[in-house]
Amino acid sequence: MMSDVESQLLAELGNCQSIDDSAEYAATHDLRHHQLAGVIKSLLAAGLVEGQEQRHASYALTQEGTSYLESGSPEAQVFAATPIEGIPQAELLQKLGLVGKVGIGQAMKLQWIMLDKTGGQPVAKRKVAEIADGVQKILQSIASGNTEGIAKQEADGLKKRKLIIPETRMSYKLTKGPKFALQRKRAATDLTHDMLQSGSWQDQEFKAYNFNALGLPPTGGYLHPLLKVRSQFRKIFVAMGFQEMMTNAYVENSFWNFDALFQPQQHPARDAHDTFFLTNPASTPAERLPQQYLQRVKATHEQGGYGSIGYGYSWKVAEAEKNLLRTHTTAVSSRMLYKLAQEGFKPAKYFSIDRVFRNEAVDRTHLAEFHQIEGVVCDKGLTLRDLIGTLKMFFDRLGLKKLRFKPAYNPYTEPSMEIFSYSDELGKWMEVGNSGMFRPEMLRPMGLPEDVSVIAWGLSLERPTMILYGIDNIRDLFGHKVSLNLIRKNPLCRLGL
């Protein structure tokens, strides 16, 4: 363990005041010097020791030099293979191979053997009775780490023969540092709540900040699956000539969210069990609403008009003033249609994709907030046939080509239809949205001409996203429990392919 090596090194310094050569210390204590060097650098950074680098010229064996450690140098092998009576050179070379070719020249240079050519064929013969293999001894000394007794001339000769290579060995001379201690006191990297409460931070040593250190390179951002699918829906709407509505106001008042849509004030959807009402500010003064329009809405609710008998109740301004988190983006549509009527009617196509809020129990298919997609077409003479045709065109671009429609009820549309599409993947029909034609009781008080009709439809953004990405629980798609891995690795989205 490196901690044991560190403690042992500090204890050694405490006893002898200095360590002259860390390499010798490593050899004495059966350690690898590169491991000890890591401990020394850590102690130097902490100020526990002071060190002076020492460079030592040394040598290392090449692969060829290592091969001669046991068998001896080529010249010694040649001498050993040459008997007293001699041996033909060809036979000697065949016996020793490449070593013989190198060794014969070196042995002759050292006057250990000679080549007798008097008989025609060269014969290797000994010139001395015995030899000392100095090359082997030097190689063995280098292998054991003892290079001090090697003469420069001898080392140069072995380098020329490529048996050794020079190397520089690093070591340290160590003395006690300004913060020397027999045991390292770890510096804290964070100022914690417990330190502040106990006051221990006053005596705690903290690690210094390195302001020149480079941080991790920032990675690119990742698009949430909802953003990818939303982008595809937006492209479809724009391609169909729709204009996006401004949907940045999450807080709405009850007048635009309910009353302007001809939704009665006693409707269950306006109960606190279904809607998030604000407590501060709890209401928007009625004086800030269009007064003439407000009176027309009030009269329509109470007495009817435009072919309707109304709801026949006493409409209260205080109820219309209540602030809430919008329950649908149709509140934005009501504002846009009123503005269109005041500026002078002209055909228009609007869409919105944004967040809405419902006071619902959270489960695997429902959240208290979700995204609503809404399309609105306003023109003269529109009929149910136009609504069905527009829906087929819209959902065809989503890749949903099999549609069915079922009659439904909405307070502000008549007729109303639920939209179903057949899923080949699931093998069944499933509901994909709601639609209808805005009632005259909603449109005429705004000031829109009597021959103007408005068709509209809406669906959630979460449901198609869950189907596309194979997500079974809506809480795995949206909210604080979403896996960051899903955000990083979710595939591209292409609708209608």
Side-chain angles (χ1 to χ4, degrees):
M1 295 288 290
M2 289 298 104
S3 58
D4 296 335
V5 174
E6 180 180 292
S7 300
Q8 193 175 12
L9 183 63
L10 290 173
E12 183 83 12
L13 266 179
N15 292 330
C16 62
Q17 307 302 317
S18 68
I19 295 175
D20 293 332
D21 192 330
S22 60
E24 292 180 3
Y25 176 87
T28 304
H29 292 80
D30 196 25
L31 297 171
R32 293 182 181 273
H33 188 260
H34 74 273
Q35 294 176 330
L36 180 64
V39 174
I40 291 172
K41 290 177 182 178
S42 177
L43 294 173
L44 287 170
L48 292 170
V49 301
E50 289 183 341
Q52 179 181 352
E53 287 188 353
Q54 301 178 129
R55 296 177 182 271
H56 307 274
S58 182
Y59 302 100
L61 300 182
T62 63
Q63 186 176 358
E64 184 182 356
T66 304
S67 68
Y68 300 148
L69 285 175
E70 298 295 333
S71 56
S73 64
E75 52 267 38
Q77 292 185 51
V78 166
F79 183 82
T82 303
I84 297 174
E85 65 275 11
I87 184 174
Q89 181 184 14
E91 185 179 338
L92 183 62
L93 289 174
Q94 185 178 6
K95 184 177 181 180
L96 296 178
L98 184 60
V99 171
K101 187 175 181 181
V102 174
I104 288 175
Q106 292 294 330
M108 291 178 64
K109 185 177 179 181
L110 293 170
Q111 298 293 312
W112 290 356
I113 65 169
M114 59 172 286
L115 288 178
D116 183 3
K117 301 180 180 179
T118 56
Q121 182 182 8
V123 177
K125 294 182 178 180
R126 291 185 178 185
K127 292 185 68 176
V128 295
E130 57 183 25
I131 61 167
D133 191 356
V135 171
Q136 184 185 33
K137 289 181 180 179
I138 293 173
L139 294 177
Q140 290 174 343
S141 296
I142 293 173
S144 63
N146 181 18
T147 61
E148 294 184 1
I150 301 174
K152 184 178 185 303
Q153 185 178 359
E154 292 174 329
D156 289 343
L158 295 180
K159 283 193 291 182
K160 189 174 181 181
R161 293 177 63 180
K162 297 182 180 180
L163 300 181
I164 63 173
I165 54 173
E167 67 175 12
T168 301
R169 178 173 59 83
M170 290 285 299
S171 68
Y172 294 90
K173 180 179 181 180
L174 301 175
T175 56
K176 294 180 179 179
K179 298 181 181 180
F180 178 79
L182 292 177
Q183 204 69 27
R184 182 201 291 261
K185 186 178 180 182
R186 299 288 178 184
T189 56
D190 294 304
L191 180 64
T192 66
H193 178 264
D194 291 338
M195 289 180 188
L196 292 172
Q197 276 201 324
S198 64
S200 62
W201 63 271
Q202 300 177 61
D203 301 318
Q204 177 67 51
E205 181 182 350
F206 289 91
K207 187 176 181 181
Y209 281 102
N210 181 3
F211 292 102
N212 296 319
L214 295 176
L216 292 174
T219 58
Y222 302 93
L223 287 176
H224 191 282
L226 283 172
L227 295 179
K228 293 182 177 180
V229 178
R230 185 182 72 175
S231 176
Q232 291 295 303
F233 272 104
R234 182 177 281 121
K235 288 179 180 179
I236 290 172
F237 274 116
V238 171
M240 293 176 66
F242 282 70
Q243 174 187 346
E244 187 166 11
M245 294 184 280
M246 187 72 70
T247 57
N248 55 345
Y250 290 167
V251 175
E252 189 58 271
N253 61 58
S254 294
F255 178 80
W256 292 107
N257 196 83
F258 294 125
D259 295 280
L261 303 181
F262 195 57
Q263 192 160 335
Q265 292 184 339
Q266 66 272 25
H267 194 280
R270 300 179 69 154
D271 189 85
H273 293 294
D274 294 301
T275 302
F276 290 108
F277 287 95
L278 271 65
T279 56
N280 186 23
S283 62
T284 298
E287 291 75 20
R288 297 176 60 179
L289 299 171
Q291 291 303 302
Q292 292 183 358
Y293 178 42
L294 184 145
Q295 292 302 320
R296 291 196 295 269
V297 169
K298 178 178 184 296
T300 306
H301 276 251
E302 292 180 342
Q303 304 162 16
Y306 319 107
S308 170
I309 61 172
Y311 293 113
Y313 71 98
S314 177
W315 186 86
K316 295 179 176 60
V317 174
E319 193 68 30
E321 290 178 333
K322 291 181 179 179
N323 287 335
L324 47 80
L325 293 179
R326 68 183 179 208
T327 61
H328 47 197
T329 53
T330 314
V332 180
S333 301
S334 65
R335 285 181 176 270
M336 289 297 295
L337 292 173
Y338 174 75
K339 181 181 178 183
L340 181 66
Q342 304 313 301
E343 293 177 351
F345 170 76
K346 59 181 179 180
K349 293 192 285 188
Y350 300 121
F351 81 94
S352 63
I353 309 172
D354 212 336
R355 198 171 300 184
V356 297
F357 306 86
R358 306 273 177 87
N359 192 1
E360 295 184 349
V362 176
D363 57 32
R364 57 186 293 274
T365 57
H366 295 86
L367 289 177
E369 55 180 307
F370 59 95
H371 295 78
Q372 181 177 333
I373 303 167
E374 184 165 338
V376 176
V377 180
C378 181
D379 203 351
K380 294 182 178 181
L382 293 176
T383 65
L384 187 63
R385 174 190 247 174
D386 297 297
L387 173 60
I388 292 174
T390 304
L391 291 175
K392 286 184 176 180
M393 183 185 302
F394 175 77
F395 282 99
D396 182 71
R397 291 173 182 248
L398 297 179
L400 305 177
K401 302 183 182 299
K402 300 177 182 178
L403 294 182
R404 281 182 180 174
F405 305 98
K406 175 184 174 183
Y409 168 76
N410 290 315
Y412 45 88
T413 58
E414 180 62 37
S416 306
M417 300 185 303
E418 292 176 348
I419 310 164
F420 292 83
S421 175
Y422 186 79
S423 170
D424 293 322
E425 292 81 4
L426 301 177
K428 63 179 181 180
W429 290 90
M430 58 184 185
E431 185 179 353
V432 293
N434 213 322
S435 65
M437 300 184 67
F438 285 148
R439 296 174 66 117
E441 297 96 322
M442 171 185 166
L443 302 178
R444 302 299 166 253
M446 292 178 176
L448 289 170
E450 291 197 10
D451 58 346
V452 170
S453 301
V454 178
I455 59 175
W457 70 97
L459 61 152
S460 77
L461 180 62
E462 282 76 5
R463 187 179 181 90
T465 304
M466 290 172 67
I467 294 172
L468 283 168
Y469 285 91
I471 298 172
D472 184 62
N473 193 325
I474 193 171
R475 288 168 289 194
D476 295 332
L477 173 69
F478 187 64
H480 65 283
K481 294 185 177 180
V482 173
S483 167
L484 292 179
N485 195 47
L486 167 69
I487 308 303
R488 294 190 186 102
K489 296 186 177 181
N490 64 83
L492 293 172
C493 174
R494 291 290 185 269
L495 296 180
L497 295 181

